Amino acid sequence: MAIIETEATLHEAHRDNHTHRDVNGGWLRPAVFGAMDGLVSNLALMTGVAGGSVAQQTIVITGLAGLAAGAFSMAAGEYTSVASQRELVQAELDVERRELRKHPADEEKELAELYASRGVEPGLAREVARQLSRDPEQALEIHAREELGIDPGDLPSPAVAAVSSFGAFALGALLPVLPYLLGATSLLPAVLLALVGLFACGAVVAKVTARSWWFSGLRQLALGGAAAGVTYALGSFFGTTVG
């Protein structure tokens, strides 16, 4: 009895510790990319304008305009991209569905050969393929996973990708503007807050990718800081030249 209880406990522990995170990218990729892009692009935009020695009001308007334009652009781009990908997958699924309807025996044989190539005994592979092919929708799902590498029931949503991207970009782009909205009169607080945000975003990304949080944070900090420095230098150069 003690052995059974121990085995049950081990089974429960394995089940509880053997879960996986969602890696299909329905919301994570556009959210992470949107936040990073919002921070880097708006910080670089504002520092570039500030480098030209313009008025504070111009910097704030530039930041707000960059936030709005970038957020809508990211959302539209993500929606179109994910929708196009989804439509392509649906088209391929329609092709597979027609093949299953017109040539069920050939598709069943194809599935059996696939299992046999992976080490399943040929007779057993044929029997498994026969049983799995009884239900057309189940057969379609299995063929889609084996041949296309997709799960028909878990396709990314264009709306989710667009909303995630819009919100994340707007949040990231807001950080460099926020100090000005709260009364700051120089670029330094905006840059410092944005750099802290870049490090934090990199560290958070490390939590879902199993990378070192400090390395990921410093990498993003360096990339964002470099972009801001280059655009500030360009703004100073062109501001002097034009002036």
Side-chain angles (χ1 to χ4, degrees):
M1 186 66 178
I3 295 177
I4 295 176
E5 289 178 353
T6 301
E7 290 178 349
T9 302
L10 290 174
H11 174 72
E12 291 177 0
H14 173 75
R15 180 194 61 200
D16 294 339
N17 293 316
H18 198 70
T19 56
H20 297 282
R21 290 166 291 198
D22 180 13
V23 296
N24 288 325
W27 65 271
L28 180 60
R29 186 191 66 84
V32 171
F33 180 68
M36 296 290 192
D37 192 32
L39 262 169
V40 174
S41 63
N42 219 29
L43 174 62
L45 179 64
M46 291 175 64
T47 54
V49 172
S53 301
V54 299
Q56 176 183 330
Q57 183 181 17
T58 302
I59 300 175
V60 175
I61 293 174
T62 299
L64 293 175
L67 184 158
F72 280 109
S73 177
M74 285 288 294
E78 281 294 333
Y79 186 91
T80 302
S81 174
V82 175
S84 298
Q85 178 188 3
R86 189 183 180 96
E87 289 163 3
L88 174 60
V89 170
Q90 293 292 358
E92 291 301 313
L93 289 175
D94 288 340
V95 171
E96 192 64 33
R97 188 177 286 108
R98 285 195 299 271
E99 289 299 312
L100 285 168
R101 186 174 61 252
K102 293 180 179 179
H103 310 288
D106 291 338
E107 291 294 316
E108 182 179 318
K109 181 180 178 182
E110 184 180 281
L111 191 60
E113 291 174 348
L114 176 64
Y115 289 140
S117 70
R118 294 183 177 179
V120 180
E121 192 273 326
L124 179 59
R126 288 192 295 271
E127 178 60 20
V128 170
R130 185 186 68 80
Q131 293 188 28
L132 293 177
S133 299
R134 290 174 179 172
D135 182 352
E137 287 304 313
Q138 177 178 259
L140 174 64
E141 182 177 331
I142 293 171
H143 279 274
R145 286 177 175 172
E146 298 293 348
E147 296 177 26
L148 303 176
I150 59 173
D151 183 353
D154 193 24
L155 299 179
S157 167
V160 169
V163 170
S164 299
S165 182
F166 181 94
F169 186 98
L171 183 61
L174 178 63
L175 285 184
V177 187
L178 191 59
Y180 284 105
L181 298 179
L182 296 178
T185 58
S186 69
L187 183 65
L188 182 60
V191 172
L192 291 177
L193 181 59
L195 292 179
V196 169
L198 284 168
F199 182 85
C201 280
V204 168
V205 170
K207 292 296 184 180
V208 297
T209 59
R211 290 295 302 269
S212 171
W213 65 270
W214 60 265
F215 174 81
S216 183
L218 289 175
R219 178 178 60 184
Q220 196 58 39
L221 176 63
L223 292 173
V230 169
T231 55
Y232 184 85
L234 289 173
S236 299
F237 173 76
F238 287 114
T240 303
T241 303
V242 175

